[in-house]
Amino acid sequence: MILRDYQSEAVRRVEAAWDGGALRVLLVSPVGSGKTRMGQAMAAARIALGERVLWLTHRVELARQAEMDGVRVESVQRLIASGDRPEADLVLWDECFPAGAMVGGRRIETLSCGDTVRGLDGHNEILSVFCRPCPGLVRVRTRRASVVCTPGH
């Protein structure tokens, strides 16, 4: 897989963090910058080492983008509903927007429907937003690490 220079650098930095012992690494990159491709490159490297990769997402469109040989792509909602807990050496989490994340130069929690934000692919209108009280947290575990999130993400 051929990556752009900035994508290769981002992947290198994530892998260096893992090599340094970090169990949870967050890759932040602008809309349209190829985060899915970067994730696929990291997944391919781990698969080549014989590791199992689980790709988690909360949207069908993102699951389709992530599909590749050797990667188990799942929605968090399905895993919660089924009780299935797949074994994985690496979990890649697609779409994580913590409070304070900057989107188009603005904090994500200040955005509203109709606002326009600039991405690498131009100006994009925000079509929907949601914010709801946290109903509780769930933990997704692998042999080496775990991630805590809300059930819908």
Side-chain angles (χ1 to χ4, degrees), residues 93-127:
W93 201 281
D94 201 346
E95 293 286 321
C96 173
F97 292 102
M102 299 301 285
V103 178
R106 294 179 53 194
R107 292 173 58 101
I108 193 167
E109 59 269 22
T110 68
L111 299 173
S112 300
C113 288
D115 288 350
T116 301
V117 294
R118 184 168 173 5
L120 293 179
D121 58 348
H123 286 81
N124 301 288
E125 182 178 352
I126 296 173
L127 302 177

Side-chain angles (χ1 to χ4, degrees), residues 9-32:
E9 176 61 15
V11 168
R12 186 198 64 73
R13 291 177 67 183
V14 169
E15 290 174 343
W18 287 335
D19 291 344
L23 296 178
R24 297 175 190 95
V25 179
L26 179 64
L27 171 63
V28 179
S29 192
V31 171

Side-chain angles (χ1 to χ4, degrees), residues 52-63:
R52 295 163 297 180
V53 177
L54 173 63
W55 190 296
L56 293 175
T57 185
H58 67 290
R59 293 182 30 211
V60 173
E61 301 87 355
L62 296 174

Side-chain angles (χ1 to χ4, degrees), residues 79-93:
L79 292 180
I80 292 169
S82 70
D84 188 14
R85 299 298 180 259
E87 289 288 324
D89 300 297
L90 173 64
V91 177
L92 293 169
W93 201 281

Side-chain angles (χ1 to χ4, degrees), residues 8-9 40 51 53 64 84 117 130 136 141:
S8 295
E9 176 61 15
Q40 288 171 325
E51 294 188 9
V53 177
R64 286 188 192 125
D84 188 14
V117 294
F130 64 92
R141 298 178 191 268

